[in-house]
Amino acid sequence: MTTKTAQDASMPHLKRSLKLWHLLVYGIIIIQPTAPMGIYGVVSNIARGHVVTTILIAMVAMLFTAVSYGRMARVYPSAGSAYAYVGGELHPVAGYMVGWSMLMDYLLNPIICAIWCSAAAANILPSIPYAAWAVSFVLLFTLLNLRGAKSSSNLNALLALGMSLVVVAFFACALRYLALVARPVGGQWLVPFYDPSTFAAPRVFHGTSVAVLTYIGFDGISTMSEEVENPRRNIMLATVLTCLLVGVLSAAEVYVAQLAWPYRGPFSESAVDTAYVQIALRIGGHVLFQVLNATLLIANVGSGIAAQFGAARLLYGMGRDNALPIRFFGALSNSTAIPRNNVLLVGAASLAGVFLLTYERGAELLNFGAFIAFMGVNAAALVHYKWRTTDVVRFPALLPLCGLLVSFFIWIHLGRNAQVLGTAWIAAGLCLYWLRRRKHVPRRKDDGTLGGSLLAP
């Protein structure tokens, strides 16, 4: 027994080196303090200017789900996140499909970040081709993650500080512009929340399904459960606080933007993607315009690094439980104690994706996988705390049920392309599951008894 214990201790394992502030920084970076700026024009066109309203509705929806994530992290402190929660509480097959859906989200995030960064960098230095930028950014994401969780968190802290300073500068310029130029009065202060001349509930709900992209990635915090101190407390706090902080900050960012540039019609096709940067040009001139451009580039670099970090650990959780081949996906590096194989695999997938996907197509697929995971986690929290445990929590059924229903409502309002391609990804996952299960079906011996073991993927 002593020898076995000593051997187990000498084996590579995930180290508990991360504190609450590491989780908060990680969550904010993967979401981005500038998250609503990229989608501002799209949501404004869909919701007819009610961007603040969509951001706040999405925040309420995500807070319900954040509570469920935090509660389930107490029960399953493993790196598998939603995959582990749903598989443990509902069924291993359901857990596998949630993990597979969530994997699509995690794989797409670094891809679209690399695509956006490459296009933005090519605009700054057009003499360097897009392909060179794409390869460079994917290599940057991969090499930094190969150094380990601690170094990634320290870099994330620097990125968060830089973006926060630019956001503060933007607010200062915006307030100055509102006070000296725009000068809203009376009911104009409330128009960003509700404009009776343009408000339409279906459009606001449709806009909310896009505005949720502001929060995508907060669930990645739960993949850090095995690397954080006091996970029962810190995972819950970090998940909820990240959603709340990002929601309040995002609402404030789009609120001042709408006051500075009131909705009088949709942004043109050529301006919709850079609508927020155009607002920065109006309120702060070319200096703020260029600074915000650079900041959004840095933000996407940070998000890509963090997203690849989470994807590698999700693959590790699935591999360790043999949902994916354990020898490859469940292995840790002896020197850094990180899932090196998975980091390299995600890097290779990102490299292929930047040449096969467009930013728009990748972005619209993100929510499909994410909301399957959200629905699964809420369902798991409902089953566990309502029927399977004696632990006392407030509103054991109401909160996860609200999260489940709201997530389903948003999921069914996703675009057709996302639904079709997402369904194809699910079908591919089911095929992989069936093939692995068939491979491990036990064969009958000559005496009629079963030999071998049934290994569930």
Side-chain angles (χ1 to χ4, degrees):
M1 178 66 73
T2 303
T3 302
K4 182 178 180 181
T5 303
Q7 290 175 344
D8 291 341
S10 65
M11 293 293 289
H13 59 279
L14 297 175
K15 299 176 181 178
R16 294 196 181 278
S17 60
L18 305 181
K19 301 180 184 298
L20 176 61
W21 76 269
H22 285 125
L23 296 181
L24 286 173
V25 169
Y26 173 78
I28 291 172
I29 285 293
I30 197 171
I31 294 175
Q32 298 179 8
T34 56
M37 296 181 182
I39 61 171
Y40 178 84
V42 176
V43 177
S44 180
N45 284 0
I46 295 174
R48 294 178 177 175
H50 294 85
V51 186
V52 177
T53 305
T54 64
I55 291 289
L56 293 176
I57 294 174
M59 182 182 71
V60 173
M62 291 300 96
L63 284 174
F64 284 127
T65 301
V67 171
S68 292
Y69 265 97
R71 287 179 174 177
M72 294 311 297
R74 295 177 177 179
V75 184
Y76 298 92
S78 85
S81 188
Y83 152 73
Y85 310 155
V86 176
E89 291 298 328
L90 303 182
H91 193 277
V93 177
Y96 171 83
M97 293 316 301
V98 163
W100 183 257
S101 301
M102 189 178 168
L103 179 60
M104 178 176 67
D105 176 31
Y106 276 74
L107 289 175
L108 284 168
N109 204 335
I111 290 173
I112 67 171
C113 287
I115 291 173
W116 196 95
C117 290
S118 302
N123 289 334
I124 298 172
L125 295 174
S127 60
I128 300 178
Y130 169 86
W133 284 118
V135 173
S136 298
F137 282 113
V138 171
L139 287 177
L140 175 65
F141 299 169
T142 304
L143 292 175
L144 287 173
N145 276 306
L146 286 174
R147 296 183 61 189
K150 193 75 174 183
S151 60
S152 295
S153 296
N154 290 335
L155 177 63
N156 287 344
L158 294 176
L159 293 173
L161 176 62
M163 284 186 283
S164 298
L165 292 175
V166 173
V167 169
V168 169
F170 174 85
F171 276 122
C173 293
L175 293 176
R176 179 179 179 276
Y177 179 85
L178 294 177
L180 300 180
V181 181
R183 297 182 180 181
V185 295
Q188 291 178 340
W189 291 98
L190 299 177
V191 168
F193 297 100
Y194 174 71
D195 184 351
S197 65
T198 61
F199 184 87
R203 283 186 167 269
V204 170
F205 292 137
H206 185 192
T208 300
S209 71
V210 179
V212 169
L213 285 172
T214 301
Y215 304 90
I216 292 299
F218 79 91
D219 54 302
I221 293 173
S222 63
T223 67
M224 313 289 287
S225 294
E226 292 187 59
E227 295 165 275
V228 63
E229 299 174 359
N230 193 6
R232 287 179 59 85
R233 170 185 177 272
N234 289 338
I235 293 294
M236 176 75 165
L237 278 177
T239 306
V240 174
L241 287 176
T242 296
C243 281
L244 185 61
L245 290 173
V246 170
V248 172
L249 177 61
S250 298
E253 289 172 6
V254 299
Y255 176 70
V256 298
Q258 287 185 254
L259 288 176
W261 192 314
Y263 179 83
R264 295 187 178 91
F267 290 99
S268 66
E269 184 176 350
S270 61
V272 65
D273 291 338
T274 58
Y276 205 94
V277 178
Q278 300 303 320
I279 295 172
L281 178 63
R282 170 179 287 190
I283 68 174
H286 286 281
V287 173
L288 185 61
F289 175 83
Q290 295 295 345
V291 169
L292 192 59
N293 263 324
T295 301
L296 291 176
L297 176 59
I298 294 171
N300 276 275
V301 169
S303 183
I305 294 169
Q308 191 184 71
F309 188 85
R313 275 143 188 82
L314 174 61
L315 287 169
Y316 170 73
M318 296 180 74
R320 186 179 55 184
D321 291 344
N322 206 29
L324 294 172
I326 188 172
R327 183 171 293 182
F328 181 90
F329 293 97
L332 291 175
S333 168
N334 289 323
S335 59
T336 59
I338 64 169
R340 181 177 57 190
N341 293 343
N342 301 334
V343 172
L344 292 173
L345 180 63
V346 175
S350 298
L351 188 59
V354 294
F355 296 107
L356 296 176
L357 291 174
T358 64
Y359 183 88
E360 180 181 0
R361 183 60 53 85
E364 69 179 355
L365 277 169
L366 272 174
N367 277 351
F368 185 92
F371 275 98
I372 289 179
F374 295 163
M375 288 185 286
V377 171
N378 281 301
L382 175 63
V383 170
H384 181 83
Y385 284 98
K386 180 62 178 177
W387 291 291
R388 292 186 176 175
T389 184
T390 57
D391 294 346
V392 178
V393 297
R394 293 185 178 182
F395 309 110
L398 180 61
L399 292 181
L401 183 60
C402 288
L404 176 61
L405 294 176
V406 173
S407 295
F408 178 74
F409 180 80
I410 295 174
W411 185 71
I412 63 175
H413 281 81
L414 293 173
R416 180 175 177 81
N417 285 337
Q419 294 285 2
V420 172
L421 294 176
T423 300
W425 174 265
I426 294 295
L430 287 172
C431 290
L432 177 62
Y433 177 88
W434 178 78
L435 290 173
R436 281 182 53 74
R437 186 177 181 85
R438 183 180 180 183
K439 177 181 177 181
H440 293 295
V441 169
R443 298 179 178 179
R444 290 187 177 274
K445 296 180 179 180
D446 294 337
D447 60 2
T449 61
L450 289 177
S453 62
L454 181 61
L455 299 177

